[in-house]
Amino acid sequence: MKYTNRRIASLLRQKGFKLTPQRRAVLDIICSSTEHFTPVQIYERARQEHPDVGLVTVYRTLNMLAALGLLCQVHMDGRKRSYVMRRPAEHHHHLVCSQCGTVVDFASCDLGELEEKLSRQTGFEINGHLLEFSGCCQECKQK
Amino acid sequence: MKYTNRRIASLLRQKGFKLTPQRRAVLDIICSSTEHFTPVQIYERARQEHPDVGLVTVYRTLNMLAALGLLCQVHMDGRKRSYVMRRPAEHHHHLVCSQCGTVVDFASCDLGELEEKLSRQTGFEINGHLLEFSGCCQECKQK
DNA sequence: CTTGTAGTTGAAAATGTCTTTCATTTATCA
DNA sequence: TGATAAATGAAAGACATTTTCAACTACAAG
């Protein structure tokens, strides 16, 4: 399943959200690429077209989209406070370079069995998992 | 392998660190339980015995212990900035309740194969992974 | 096309977590 | 006991993110 700008727009309206130029700008950026962006990066890009969007609005829009399940986040290096958002695709995970921040996606993860086992052992109702590998990418290794 | 208060103390001395009452207080708290604590929680407990420890010192001590590999961190809910520390054991992962913050450890993870595959495909040198399940614990389910 | 209004906005201030700075104090060892 | 390198607390700083609030606007109903 692939979300397009237009599609998201109509979903928002359906949910009672207004489609403002600022939100449009954020959506355009996120939908125009498969890259990952930090809120600040999105903010900077959005300003090029629309010089008076505020960073606050970018945060608000991203939060809204995330709450609707349209975005997901990466935790750089597992420790940094900054986080990154991207337009979603299927369930997938991340491989993050701790030198340069490059993020590579991968889809295969086979945690269903482990999840079930844990659920049985602990009584938890498990509704999500976070799996990230970190390391050093090829380019950074060469330096 | 189990770390005791005393054992850590002598390790610190060995490494050239001083064993101050403040550090002792932090160590006592961490070693006296298998629970996870946030820096602020440790700070608050430490103050009960030793009213003039500063939060700064708690942070410094925790960072030092983490740098020595004696502690590890949890990322609550995968999003919160606050993090939790505990006394370490073997390699393990966490199962976090997003309602109440309870953390359960589990050891089994079978990611070696996946790690190798990713490494081959991407050229990354992988040196760590972060795996966390989140959900709702038994107690919270009942409410 | 107006108009009412609930939802949205930007700026500034606030929050929360963690780190740095610096003058003062202290654990440790010769 | 005294020298000294390391450690401390307070206050200020750094950042990412959120809240507050008065002004503004998308859009549906008329």
Side-chain angles (χ1 to χ4, degrees):
Chain A
M1 193 181 359
K2 210 177 164 189
Y3 296 89
T4 63
N5 188 332
R6 185 173 297 273
R7 200 153 163 187
I8 294 177
S10 83
L11 175 65
L12 290 194
R13 241 180 253 149
Q14 210 183 90
K15 294 269 178 183
F17 294 108
K18 290 180 181 172
L19 194 55
T20 63
Q22 292 93 332
R23 284 179 180 169
R24 227 181 254 284
V26 171
L27 279 173
D28 281 348
I29 291 161
I30 293 174
C31 293
S32 69
S33 142
T34 56
E35 277 177 75
H36 296 246
F37 299 110
T38 62
V40 171
Q41 286 172 326
I42 292 174
Y43 168 66
E44 280 162 359
R45 290 204 180 201
R47 290 204 129 224
Q48 287 169 14
E49 306 265 308
H50 207 284
D52 49 347
V53 265
L55 180 54
V56 201
T57 297
V58 173
Y59 273 110
R60 279 193 281 231
T61 304
L62 293 174
N63 283 345
M64 184 195 66
L65 294 172
L68 288 173
L70 298 172
L71 292 179
C72 65
Q73 335 166 64
V74 189
H75 309 272
M76 306 287 291
D77 208 13
R79 207 199 170 166
K80 276 184 195 158
R81 259 166 294 157
S82 84
Y83 69 118
V84 191
M85 311 193 81
R86 61 161 310 216
R87 114 191 122 127
E90 311 77 42
H91 177 82
H92 69 278
H93 296 288
H94 303 281
L95 175 53
V96 186
C97 174
S98 22
Q99 304 286 304
C100 66
T102 297
V103 177
V104 177
D105 295 352
F106 65 93
S108 57
C109 79
D110 207 22
L111 300 170
E113 207 177 307
L114 178 55
E115 190 170 312
E116 244 180 69
K117 189 177 113 192
L118 286 173
S119 187
R120 229 179 307 121
Q121 286 176 351
T122 62
F124 267 61
E125 179 186 317
I126 296 181
N127 48 41
H129 62 253
L130 169 64
L131 172 61
E132 283 183 28
F133 287 92
S134 59
C136 186
C137 74
Q138 210 152 25
E139 266 184 52
C140 288
K141 267 197 291 184
Q142 285 162 7
K143 286 170 200 167
Chain B
M1 191 179 4
K2 209 175 165 191
Y3 296 90
T4 62
N5 190 331
R6 186 172 296 273
R7 201 157 163 182
I8 294 178
S10 83
L11 175 65
L12 291 193
R13 242 180 252 149
Q14 210 183 89
K15 294 268 180 183
F17 294 107
K18 291 179 180 172
L19 194 56
T20 62
Q22 292 93 332
R23 284 179 179 169
R24 227 181 255 284
V26 171
L27 280 173
D28 279 348
I29 290 161
I30 293 175
C31 294
S32 70
S33 142
T34 56
E35 276 177 76
H36 296 246
F37 299 109
T38 63
V40 171
Q41 286 172 326
I42 291 173
Y43 168 65
E44 280 161 359
R45 291 204 179 199
R47 289 204 129 223
Q48 287 169 14
E49 306 267 307
H50 207 284
D52 51 345
V53 264
L55 180 55
V56 203
T57 297
V58 172
Y59 273 109
R60 280 193 280 233
T61 303
L62 292 174
N63 283 345
M64 183 196 69
L65 294 173
L68 289 174
L70 297 174
L71 292 180
C72 65
Q73 333 167 64
V74 190
H75 309 271
M76 306 286 290
D77 206 13
R79 203 194 174 173
K80 275 184 197 156
R81 261 164 294 152
S82 84
Y83 67 116
V84 191
M85 312 193 82
R86 61 162 311 220
R87 111 191 125 126
E90 311 78 43
H91 176 83
H92 69 279
H93 296 287
H94 304 282
L95 175 53
V96 186
C97 174
S98 22
Q99 303 288 304
C100 66
T102 297
V103 177
V104 177
D105 295 353
F106 64 93
S108 58
C109 80
D110 206 22
L111 298 169
E113 209 177 304
L114 178 57
E115 189 170 314
E116 243 180 70
K117 190 177 111 192
L118 286 173
S119 188
R120 232 180 305 121
Q121 286 176 349
T122 61
F124 268 61
E125 179 187 317
I126 297 178
N127 47 42
H129 62 252
L130 169 63
L131 172 61
E132 282 183 30
F133 288 91
S134 58
C136 186
C137 74
Q138 212 152 24
E139 265 184 54
C140 288
K141 267 197 292 184
Q142 285 162 6
K143 287 172 200 164

